[in-house]
Amino acid sequence: MRTRPLKVALLGCGVVGSEVARIMTTHADDLAARIGAPVELVGVAVRRPSKVREGIDPALITTDATALVQSGDIDVVIEVIGGIEPARTLITTAFENGASVVSANKALLAEDGAALHAAAEKYGRDLYYEAAVAGAIPLVRPLRESLAGDKVNRVLGIVNGTTNFILDKMDTSGAGYSEALDEATALGYAEADPTADVEGFDAAAKAAILAGIAFHTRVKIGDVHREGITEVTAADIASARRMGCTVKLLAICERAADGASVTARVHPAMIPLSHPLASVREAYNAVFVEAEAAGQLMFYGPGAGGSPTASAVLGDLVAVCRNKLGEATGPGESAYTRLPVSPMGEVVTRYHISLDVADKPGVLAQVATVFAEQGVSIDTVRQQGKDGEASLVVVTHRAPDAALSGTVEALRKLDTVRGVASIMRVEGE
């Protein structure tokens, strides 16, 4: 074993960063044995130096992250500060000054991953980011390495623990969205500002990263169709139950049947209770990968939190340090297919549409005519009426999303349709 330690700088010391520092200290001997050399934490960049950080030598704390990554003697920089800037500049500066980088920054990678990969390649450094997608769940490396010889056609899963917790509570307890969100916040699953989670931004960033790796093409967060869960109601959950389904926020990345394009989307969807994703409870994540040779693979586990995310960071640290010792680099960006990302309107989906309609003869015929005119085939219809008002629930066969959206707009114009109570896609069948 080499006795001279590999030097590591840590950018950020919040929930994840502090856990990374703790594991590096308490498991130092094991890490050294697995790497082939000891690792030494030589600096921790933070914004608030006065905060007490148990187990971390105060002498390591600095507010000058730029000087830390410019020092020239750092082997690996671990970036867990998040956001676009200053993280982007700090990572590229680290590459320029001889350091490889381990990051958990999904937002940055989904927005500017191509440029970061290019900078890593230019300077001969590693860029690893297992922790950016699904916490402790090994997903990036299996896609990037284990399945490198296969053709991945679809990635489907639950990649945000906060929204899964909220939807699970709405399903199991009958709670409304606001009530379930309050419980998630009280338990620490939701941030004080939960927008990134509940509006789907977090899941969309992860979908962009997964699609790019799976399909060997460049997908940015702006390419991902995004819908959150704020409009999901207890009535939607109950309606799903009547269909033998539950509601999940899904990230879906697919290669077109002709192989000429890909799609990436995040939205709530009804899935059958028989589907394995339906049983993913509370704040857990699960992802299906469908490949031509390997078939269906499922990855399941905690998708967030200090310890799970730190586990993924440390796994990357070991891999990058091994590469350093071997004077090599791991796999970089693979975007050779250059496949275009199709818009959501071209995606073929099923819809569950709940309408408030007048309870009188001929309404169903009018509604059915609208579907026929838009070229959308109806699978099932359920109608309930009382005191002159009625609810009409229509489940469609698969059709282009644009046709389904056009159908909804046409339905809104009918005099007999009082309103569209809910619209949700149906997946997993």
Side-chain angles (χ1 to χ4, degrees):
M1 179 186 292
R2 192 181 86 165
T3 57
R4 184 170 63 83
L6 292 160
K7 296 183 178 182
V8 178
L10 177 62
L11 308 182
C13 197
V15 173
V16 176
S18 59
E19 191 65 10
V20 168
R22 184 192 69 79
I23 295 174
M24 285 186 65
T25 302
T26 58
H27 295 180
D29 292 342
D30 287 335
L31 290 173
R34 294 165 191 170
I35 292 169
V39 289
E40 179 185 2
L41 185 60
V42 297
V44 181
V46 300
R47 287 184 298 176
R48 297 191 296 272
S50 59
K51 181 179 177 180
V52 177
R53 294 172 172 85
E54 188 175 346
I56 298 178
D57 184 351
L60 298 178
I61 301 297
T62 178
T63 58
D64 195 343
T66 301
L68 184 60
V69 299
Q70 284 180 335
S71 64
D73 63 349
I74 303 296
D75 293 293
V76 183
V77 169
I78 298 174
E79 183 271 310
V80 289
I81 57 178
I84 305 301
E85 289 291 358
R88 174 168 48 199
T89 299
L90 291 170
I91 288 174
T92 54
T93 302
F95 291 147
E96 293 168 4
N97 288 273
S100 289
V101 173
V102 173
S103 176
N105 195 332
K106 53 187 168 287
L108 177 58
L109 288 159
E111 177 63 32
D112 213 16
L116 295 179
H117 277 292
E121 182 177 3
K122 177 182 177 180
Y123 293 102
R125 314 299 178 211
D126 272 326
L127 173 62
Y128 276 52
Y129 43 89
E130 186 68 68
V133 174
I137 304 172
L139 194 55
V140 171
R141 199 168 299 154
L143 284 172
R144 195 159 71 163
E145 300 179 32
S146 303
L147 295 173
D150 207 339
K151 182 181 180 182
V152 176
N153 291 318
R154 194 172 194 233
V155 180
L156 164 74
I158 299 163
V159 295
N160 182 272
T162 300
T163 52
N164 199 56
F165 179 89
I166 292 170
L167 292 173
D168 182 51
K169 288 301 174 185
M170 292 175 69
D171 186 29
T172 57
S173 70
Y177 167 77
S178 297
E179 184 181 352
L181 173 59
D182 288 344
E183 183 176 354
T185 304
L187 293 172
Y189 291 127
E191 301 287 345
D193 179 1
T195 302
D197 292 321
V198 300
E199 293 291 358
F201 290 101
D202 175 86
K206 295 170 180 177
I209 295 169
L210 290 174
I213 299 171
F215 307 135
H216 303 278
T217 195
R218 288 178 178 169
V219 180
K220 299 178 69 172
I221 189 168
D223 298 320
V224 181
H225 174 83
R226 174 192 56 79
E227 298 173 28
I229 66 166
T230 55
E231 301 300 318
V232 177
T233 66
D236 292 328
I237 302 292
S239 188
R241 274 285 171 187
R242 286 192 291 270
M243 287 179 58
C245 293
T246 189
V247 177
K248 298 292 185 183
L249 183 72
L250 298 181
I252 306 171
C253 311
E254 295 176 304
R255 189 191 300 268
D258 62 3
S261 64
V262 299
T263 59
R265 51 195 165 107
V266 168
H267 55 71
M270 295 181 179
I271 58 173
L273 294 174
S274 58
H275 195 286
L277 289 178
S279 62
V280 179
R281 304 290 304 279
E282 299 199 334
Y284 277 77
N285 286 189
V287 178
F288 266 92
V289 176
E290 299 175 9
E292 285 196 355
Q296 281 194 340
L297 308 173
M298 182 174 177
F299 300 83
Y300 170 84
S307 294
T309 306
S311 171
V313 170
L314 269 296
D316 279 351
L317 177 64
V318 170
V320 170
C321 286
R322 286 172 175 170
N323 291 343
K324 278 278 185 180
L325 291 179
E327 298 182 347
T329 56
E333 183 188 34
S334 175
Y336 72 93
T337 64
R338 296 183 175 88
L339 295 174
V341 182
S342 297
M344 185 63 191
E346 296 179 12
V347 174
V348 177
T349 63
R350 297 181 67 203
Y351 263 34
H352 173 282
I353 305 171
S354 180
L355 304 171
D356 294 327
V357 299
D359 186 15
K360 62 182 184 180
V363 173
L364 180 56
Q366 286 185 328
V367 169
T369 297
V370 169
F371 278 89
E373 290 173 345
Q374 297 292 326
V376 178
S377 176
I378 294 175
D379 182 13
T380 63
V381 178
R382 185 176 71 250
Q383 184 173 5
Q384 294 177 319
K386 184 179 180 181
D387 298 329
E389 297 295 329
S391 64
L392 191 65
V393 177
V394 180
V395 179
T396 72
H397 286 291
R398 291 169 63 82
D401 199 80
L404 290 162
S405 297
T407 302
V408 172
E409 290 306 308
L411 289 171
R412 294 183 194 275
K413 296 176 182 178
L414 292 178
D415 292 339
T416 51
V417 174
R418 311 297 194 210
V420 180
S422 69
I423 309 167
M424 192 169 295
R425 296 175 184 88
V426 182
E427 298 284 347
E429 296 182 323

